[in-house]
Amino acid sequence: MGIKIAILGAAGLRTPLILQAILLRQARLNLRELALMDIDGQRLEVIAALTAPLEAANPPRFHIQRTTDVEVALQGADFVITTFRVGGMTARAIDERVPLNYGVLGQETTGPGGFAMGMRTIPVLLAVAEKMKSLCPQAWLINFANPAGMLAEALVRVSGWQRSVGICDAPHTLRRALAALLNAPAEQVLLDYFGLNHLGWIRAVRFQGADHLPRFLEWIRQLDQVPGMPISATLIATLGMIPNEYLYYYYHTHQAVENILQAGLSRGEQLAAWNERLFAELADLRAKEDYEGMQSAYQAYLKQRGQTYMVNESGQAHNLEQIDAALAESLSSEGYAGVALDLIEGLGGDGPRQMILNIPNQGAIQGMGAEDVVEIAAFVSGGAIQPLSVGSIPQHCLGLMQQVKAYEQLTIEAAVEGSYAKALTALTLHPLVPGFEVAKQILDEYIQRHGDLFPPLR
Ligand code: G6P
Ligand code: MN
């Protein structure tokens, strides 16, 4: 029999990495069919030309279907992976530029950028969940699309889709890095982790019965700057926890905005330009049937993207390859794809394994609602996800999480109800927005510049 996986948004530049990871694990995955769906059929073909060598080197023992029809892709799927970017990289550039015009952080997920991305993506994702109800009612929905936490919340609150999980590579990369520093296999290192997506903290690093966090903090106390971590070493030592790198935008807001303004362009603007150039280059090489040239252009792009991640924003190298070759080597290169496939294998009965996922709190964190989606450690095994109990957390973490959760919920309601007032309230109470007047200017500029990509707001 075997399973069917559907990937929606499969013309994205990470698809070759997903396919590669699937092919490497195909003996374990027991895959019958892989549907690669995207609304952009031409780009789907370009990506197919990029993955052809992978398929030749490691022939798939499953059927690959490429389609622009979402219903064809969903039909009979066991796992649906959503990874689309509504409006493409151009829309991300707008998400990030508009707040910068008012001196406010312009970032893909944190701050107003995440609000705008959420507004564009929520209606599309909820429509997918609606279709799944008849086409694949038993399927798990694994969402990569950002803002991953807010989208997971929308799926639970609005669609009531219980078998949905939001994933992010950041906590898993952190876990691998810590495991590498301990010389331990990542699967054996258990993190006591809590928060929201891109807003989490590590409170303990357990390996062989001991908590190694105090040792890490001891090391951090002696540094000016922790390699690969944009947040001040002094602050980390004071917190007594290792924060998710995205907390940089909350703990060093002024610095982040200054750095981005100084760089002259946001990450989305940088990537929009690179993507445009890459796709032009790929089309050109494909016309010449230069498939090796396509590969090298793609690999060079990935390398450049990896090496520049968070560099302008933080003013320091973030890529581990640049910091420590040995550490980089020991980290898996599977990234996002690895997290999704670990989850699929775990749900398929291989386990139990610990993963950090965006799932309903169900009492895990004291002070957060039962249905509030949080990012926490959970055990995944045959068809079930069991969140680990977190208990009480520092008040400053809980306060920030609750504030951001309130903003997320208002954004979801604004998108679903088409409410201008709720959208404005959501932005006004975001901790990184300096109040009502600026919130209104940002919102109005988004509405004007995003046009039909935004749900109509009354
Ligand atoms: C990390 C985050 C993702 C985010 C990505 C941005 O992987 O976990 O949520 O989308 O970075 O990387 P980019 O190269 O697009 O700036
Ligand atoms: Mn993420």
Side-chain angles (χ1 to χ4, degrees):
M1 257 308 273
I3 59 167
K4 173 175 176 178
I5 299 179
I7 303 182
L8 310 188
L13 283 162
R14 288 204 180 93
T15 298
L17 303 176
I18 305 178
L19 185 58
Q20 185 172 35
I22 290 178
L23 289 170
L24 284 173
R25 298 179 183 214
Q26 62 174 326
R28 299 207 304 268
L29 280 171
N30 187 26
L31 199 56
R32 170 183 95 244
E33 188 171 351
L34 176 67
L36 300 174
M37 181 272 160
D38 201 283
I39 53 170
D40 188 337
Q42 273 181 344
R43 254 179 71 163
L44 212 46
E45 279 179 34
V46 175
I47 301 292
L50 277 178
T51 56
L54 297 174
E55 292 168 50
N58 192 352
R61 287 178 298 239
F62 50 88
H63 177 62
I64 300 183
Q65 180 171 45
R66 293 184 168 83
T67 176
T68 53
D69 187 335
V70 65
E71 297 190 0
V72 168
L74 291 179
Q75 182 69 56
D78 299 284
F79 295 94
V80 176
I81 298 177
T82 44
T83 172
F84 38 72
R85 192 182 277 285
V86 178
M89 206 52 98
T90 325
R92 172 172 173 186
I94 296 173
D95 292 347
E96 294 175 348
R97 176 51 53 189
V98 170
L100 288 171
N101 286 340
Y102 305 93
V104 175
L105 176 73
Q107 208 283 325
E108 181 191 23
T109 60
T110 304
F115 161 85
M117 194 179 195
M119 291 297 278
R120 289 185 282 106
T121 315
I122 288 165
V124 179
L125 188 62
L126 295 181
V128 168
E130 229 21 71
K131 285 188 190 298
M132 287 175 66
K133 288 180 182 167
S134 57
L135 294 169
C136 50
Q138 298 303 318
W140 281 91
L141 201 176
I142 302 174
N143 176 57
F144 282 29
N146 270 324
M150 187 195 286
L151 296 180
E153 178 92 14
L155 284 168
V156 172
R157 297 256 172 203
V158 186
S159 304
W161 197 273
Q162 297 307 322
R163 277 182 303 282
S164 76
V165 186
I167 57 173
C168 176
D169 61 329
H172 293 91
T173 306
L174 205 46
R175 178 187 187 184
R176 285 186 174 279
L178 293 169
L181 290 167
L182 287 171
N183 256 321
E187 320 76 71
Q188 290 179 27
V189 174
L190 302 187
L191 298 186
D192 182 351
Y193 182 101
F194 64 87
L196 305 182
N197 180 236
H198 292 185
L199 192 108
W201 297 264
I202 295 176
R203 194 171 59 172
V205 183
R206 297 214 170 82
F207 175 57
Q208 290 181 337
D211 175 13
H212 296 263
L213 183 67
R215 271 176 55 205
F216 282 116
L217 291 173
E218 201 42 57
W219 171 61
I220 288 169
R221 243 175 234 119
Q222 287 149 31
L223 303 171
D224 288 332
Q225 193 66 55
V226 188
M229 166 60 82
I231 298 167
S232 144
T234 313
L235 178 58
I236 298 175
T238 310
L239 292 171
M241 297 180 290
I242 300 178
N244 183 300
E245 65 200 6
Y246 277 79
L247 276 159
Y248 169 71
Y249 297 113
Y250 288 93
Y251 294 152
H252 297 270
T253 317
H254 180 71
Q255 193 60 48
V257 175
E258 285 296 299
N259 286 350
I260 298 168
L261 291 174
Q262 184 88 39
L265 79 182
S266 74
R267 178 66 169 167
E269 289 168 336
Q270 182 179 51
L271 291 177
W274 291 353
N275 283 10
E276 200 184 309
R277 201 177 64 200
L278 175 69
F279 277 108
E281 211 178 333
L282 291 177
D284 207 41
L285 292 163
R286 189 161 161 245
K288 293 185 201 142
E289 293 181 30
D290 181 356
Y291 298 109
E292 271 180 33
M294 287 181 79
Q295 278 305 315
S296 26
Y298 173 63
Q299 293 303 332
Y301 166 90
L302 286 183
K303 189 163 179 219
Q304 186 179 37
R305 186 165 177 174
Q307 286 184 342
T308 51
Y309 173 67
M310 252 186 165
V311 169
N312 282 349
E313 293 79 354
S314 66
Q316 66 153 315
H318 196 80
N319 187 284
L320 285 171
E321 269 170 56
Q322 289 172 320
I323 297 160
D324 185 325
L327 184 54
E329 181 66 35
S330 62
L331 292 178
S332 151
S333 63
E334 284 187 316
Y336 259 99
V339 181
L341 296 179
D342 282 351
L343 180 59
I344 289 176
E345 283 186 30
L347 287 171
D350 180 43
R353 51 181 78 197
Q354 195 212 36
M355 296 189 72
I356 293 165
L357 303 168
N358 288 272
I359 47 176
N361 183 46
Q362 295 172 51
I365 302 175
Q366 212 175 301
M368 296 298 290
E371 278 213 331
D372 289 347
V373 168
V374 290
E375 189 168 88
I376 44 173
F379 274 114
V380 180
S381 65
I385 297 178
Q386 187 60 46
L388 268 72
S389 170
V390 175
S392 74
I393 58 173
Q395 184 60 37
H396 67 89
C397 303
L398 184 62
L400 187 52
M401 287 165 63
Q402 286 175 329
Q403 178 82 359
V404 172
K405 183 54 71 186
Y407 139 82
E408 283 182 1
Q409 290 173 350
L410 273 165
T411 305
I412 293 165
E413 289 171 22
V416 171
E417 298 164 19
S419 164
Y420 180 89
K422 285 190 176 176
L424 184 51
T425 312
L427 269 180
T428 301
L429 62 77
H430 194 289
L432 300 182
V433 176
F436 181 80
E437 290 77 14
V438 175
K440 184 164 187 334
Q441 283 173 302
I442 292 176
L443 177 59
D444 291 343
E445 194 174 332
Y446 273 145
I447 292 173
Q448 190 244 324
R449 292 185 65 180
H450 275 311
D452 290 345
L453 289 178
F454 249 44
L457 299 177
R458 287 169 313 274

